[in-house]
Amino acid sequence: MTYEVQVDEFGSDAGKRRIALTKFLGFLLQRVAKLDEERRYARFYCPVLAAFKQTDVAINFSDGPTLLTVAVRFALDDLVVPGQASSPFDARFPGKCRTPDEIAAEVVASSGNGGQTQ
């Protein structure tokens, strides 16, 4: 699944933009985790869906008409390594994705004017 996020819709102040974007990314990643759980559940009970072995995720960011160089790409598969997760976030995305705050910080830093009010 691919998401296209317009960062200019999260305000013009860098601090507020980062907070709002972090909250949104947390919600978005929860939805990704839910979809992946549903994929695994359906695959277990329906042999026709056996070919769906992973969920591929792409999150692209734009600031107005400018596509930012920050992009998030990862795949969630059915591989489980016991003891690998060290936090609730790692339990859902073990080594696959940065935290919402880390992503938001990079996006805000790379947006056109750094999110500063003009």
Side-chain angles (χ1 to χ4, degrees), residues 68-117:
L68 302 178
T69 57
V70 179
V72 176
R73 306 263 187 280
F74 62 95
L76 298 173
D77 54 36
D78 295 339
L79 176 64
V80 176
V81 179
Q84 184 178 36
S86 59
S87 74
F89 185 83
D90 288 337
R92 289 188 168 183
F93 304 99
K96 305 282 184 177
C97 178
R98 294 168 286 157
T99 67
D101 188 54
E102 292 168 338
I103 298 167
E106 187 177 354
V107 169
V108 168
S110 70
S111 62
N113 60 2
Q116 301 298 317
T117 306

Side-chain angles (χ1 to χ4, degrees):
M1 81 184 73
T2 301
Y3 292 94
E4 303 292 337
V5 179
Q6 289 288 332
V7 298
D8 54 336
E9 294 181 11
F10 292 90
S12 57
D13 176 69
K16 290 179 182 177
R17 180 181 278 186
R18 180 175 174 175
I19 290 167
L21 191 55
T22 297
K23 185 176 179 179
F24 174 75
L25 289 168
F27 171 76
L28 187 146
L29 291 173
Q30 286 178 339
R31 300 307 303 157
V32 167
K34 173 82 166 113
L35 180 133
D36 190 60
E37 288 172 356
E38 293 290 337
R39 175 196 61 82
R40 285 186 274 152
Y41 175 82
R43 185 173 177 261
F44 183 80
Y45 288 104
C46 182
V48 173
L49 301 176
F52 295 99
K53 296 182 180 187
Q54 69 183 33
T55 301
D56 294 306
V57 179
I59 308 171
N60 300 315
F61 300 92
S62 297
D63 189 7
T66 306
L67 182 64
L68 302 178
T69 57
V70 179
V72 176
R73 306 263 187 280
F74 62 95
L76 298 173
D77 54 36
D78 295 339
L79 176 64
V80 176
V81 179
Q84 184 178 36
S86 59
S87 74
F89 185 83
D90 288 337
R92 289 188 168 183
F93 304 99
K96 305 282 184 177
C97 178
R98 294 168 286 157
T99 67
D101 188 54
E102 292 168 338
I103 298 167
E106 187 177 354
V107 169
V108 168
S110 70
S111 62
N113 60 2
Q116 301 298 317
T117 306
Q118 295 181 350

